[in-house]
Structures are given as C-alpha cells and as structure tokens.
Amino acid sequence: MIKRENTVIEVKDIVTRFGERTIHDKLSLHIEKNEIYGILGESGSGKSVLMKEMIMLLQPNAGEITILGESLAEISFKEAQKLREEWGVLFQFGALYSSMTIAENIEVQLKEYTNISKEMRDKLVHSKIALVGLDAHVSTLYPSELSGGMIKRAALARALAMEPKLLFLDEPTSGLDPVGARNFDSLIVELRDILGITVVMITHDLDSIFGIVDRMAVLADKHVVAEGPLKNVLQSQHPFVEAFFKNDYTKEKYMDKLEENREENV
Ligand SMILES: Nc1ncnc2c1ncn2[C@@H]1O[C@H](COP(=O)(O)OP(=O)(O)OP(=O)(O)O)[C@@H](O)[C@H]1O
Ligand SMILES: [Mg+2]
C-alpha cells in the first residue's frame, strides 16, 4: 500500500448498492491535507452518497474509508462520536432550522457536544458569523429573513462552529448568482488558508473547478474515471470528461485555463 503522509481521507474500493442497483463499484480516491478537493460527476453518479459515507451517515457495502487515520468500518461508537467533531458539513439541500435564529442554529452543536458556558458560546457564535462575512445583526434573524447567499454563509458558520479539520460542501454555489458564487468561492479559499482546513467540495460549477479546486475526482460508470489536478483530469478521454470540459461553451469561456493546463503537459 502506498503511504501518503498527508492523506486525510482515503476511500478504497468502495461498493455501494441500494437493492438491486449498484451505485459505486470499487471506487477509490484520496484527499490530502489542506487541499480543496472537488468531486464531479453526472447527476445520480453517487456524489452525495459518497459524501454521506465519508461522514458516517451511510455505510458502503464493501471497501474501506479511512478518515484522519481512523478506519470507519472498525471504529468504536465512542471514537465515531469524537471523529464527528472533526468535520463540518454543508448539505446539498439541508439548510438551517427554520424555527431557530441564526445564532441558535450555529450554536446547536456547541450545545450538544461541549459544555462551554453560554457566554463563551455567544462569543464563538459571533466570531463565526464574522468569519463567514456576515453582519453581526443577522444573529437574531430567522433563516426566512435572509437571502440565499446569506443562508449559505450562515450554514457555513454552523459547519465551522466546532472548529473542524475537514469541511464537506455539497454543491455550495448552486442557487447563487454568479457574483455570490464567486464570493463564496473566495471565502472557501480564505477559510482554507486561515484555518488550515481540508475542503471536500461536490460541484459542477466550472468557475469553482477552474478557479479554486486543487485536485478532483470525476465519478462515472460507478467509479472514479479521472483523478488529480485539472491537467491530469483533462487528459482523460472518458465521454463524461469530454462532454463536461471539452464542449464548445467551456472551450470558449475557459480557453486560457484549458490552454494553460494543456501546455504544462508537453
Ligand atoms: N438512501 C437511499 N436509498 C436508495 N437509493 C438512494 C439513496 N440515496 C441515494 N440513492 C440513489 O443513489 C444514486 C446516487 O445518488 P446521489 O444523491 O449520490 O447522486 P448525486 O451524484 O449526488 O446527484 P446530484 O448531482 O443530482 O446531486 C441515485 O440514483 C439515488 O436515487
Ligand atoms: Mg448530490
């Protein structure tokens, strides 16, 4: 087995079935510390399921997932609880609790997992709100009183409440306008740089992929058909890669990025 010093997530030969349907068949990838790792693939290719397996909400039928050195299949209940504190998650459809204010939403995990005082919790909540670039006054507002972009930021603040080492984001820029999406991307990069976290990001947003993703995995045919930095992925001739990166729209809009990444290969 290859020893990778900085690997924080290792997915090895995962098999996932729902009834008769096989979603993943021997899917493998590895994610390095401090990188922004993209997971790409068609709708229904099993990206969200894979993320749920990484965060122990689902269990694969076979294969092994190791997170921060812990093998998820062998982990004890107590170790699993501890490991859960190491990551923050932004779900694809999971927004905030609508009956709670933004501050209460961010506080949920702090209340559940720690016994720090109310005063300290308030301080932490306010620092997270500032960290994601929201104005302090949003803390008393309810989710229905926020814009889409603000909700994403508030959900991100909640994901960061426990000061995680890993951040899982499922389609974080979907539903945002182009400016909001780019601002969100910049925030992700900033958080990675400031906090030293590792970011796993499911996305089909080409701006994010060309702009902030360091390495990525492309899911198709039930497994990873291309993995690595953009220039490696672009070498793949898999039909999904061809259709996704080499269509006329992408070629025109991202000509410079495609050129850059091609020339480096020569
Ligand atoms: N809990 C479940 N039980 C049964 N089937 C499921 C379950 N969760 C997901 N699936 C199926 O697994 C497949 C992969 O789903 P998944 O949500 O991972 O797709 P995805 O790649 O995230 O797609 P999208 O880009 O649309 O979000 C789909 O066919 C879905 O219906
Ligand atoms: Mg999904």
Side-chain angles (χ1 to χ4, degrees), residues 115-251:
N115 43 27
I116 53 178
S117 67
K118 173 72 182 146
E119 197 188 350
M120 194 62 199
R121 287 205 304 270
D122 285 345
K123 276 197 183 138
L124 280 171
V125 165
H126 284 100
S127 76
K128 298 307 170 215
I129 287 177
L131 186 64
V132 299
L134 284 173
D135 198 84
H137 84 276
V138 304
S139 66
T140 57
L141 299 180
Y142 287 87
S144 63
E145 300 171 310
L146 265 54
S147 74
M150 287 160 88
I151 287 182
K152 294 257 183 199
R153 282 174 191 259
L156 189 59
R158 183 174 64 179
L160 294 169
M162 297 286 291
E163 316 210 326
K165 292 194 180 82
L166 310 173
L167 186 60
F168 292 94
L169 310 170
D170 196 346
E171 300 280 6
T173 60
S174 74
L176 297 181
D177 64 72
V179 176
R182 301 299 58 85
N183 287 340
F184 200 86
D185 274 353
S186 311
L187 175 61
I188 299 298
V189 173
E190 239 173 75
L191 291 174
R192 186 270 303 272
D193 294 345
I194 299 170
L195 306 174
I197 51 178
T198 305
V199 180
V200 182
M201 182 161 100
I202 297 176
T203 185
H204 62 256
D205 185 328
L206 282 161
D207 282 327
S208 305
I209 294 162
F210 284 113
I212 69 163
V213 164
D214 297 308
R215 290 194 318 123
M216 68 199 93
V218 179
L219 269 55
D221 308 333
K222 305 182 174 63
H223 59 266
V224 174
V225 295
E227 196 199 14
L230 189 60
K231 62 178 178 192
N232 289 22
V233 169
L234 288 176
Q235 281 178 334
S236 164
Q237 283 170 4
H238 189 279
F240 177 80
V241 176
E242 294 275 332
F244 191 79
F245 287 105
K246 300 170 196 172
N247 59 64
D248 290 341
Y249 170 81
T250 314
K251 274 185 187 160

Side-chain angles (χ1 to χ4, degrees), residues 38-84:
I39 298 179
L40 286 64
E42 263 172 337
S43 182
S45 59
K47 305 180 296 293
S48 295
V49 167
L50 175 63
M51 190 183 102
K52 286 175 189 159
E53 289 173 343
M54 289 179 184
I55 58 175
M56 297 193 283
L57 291 179
L58 286 173
Q59 249 190 346
N61 298 80
E64 198 183 2
I65 301 180
T66 309
I67 308 246
L68 300 169
E70 301 271 7
S71 169
L72 301 189
E74 293 157 17
I75 200 165
S76 73
F77 179 77
K78 219 172 152 191
E79 285 166 336
Q81 280 301 91
K82 226 173 134 224
L83 196 57
R84 282 195 182 92

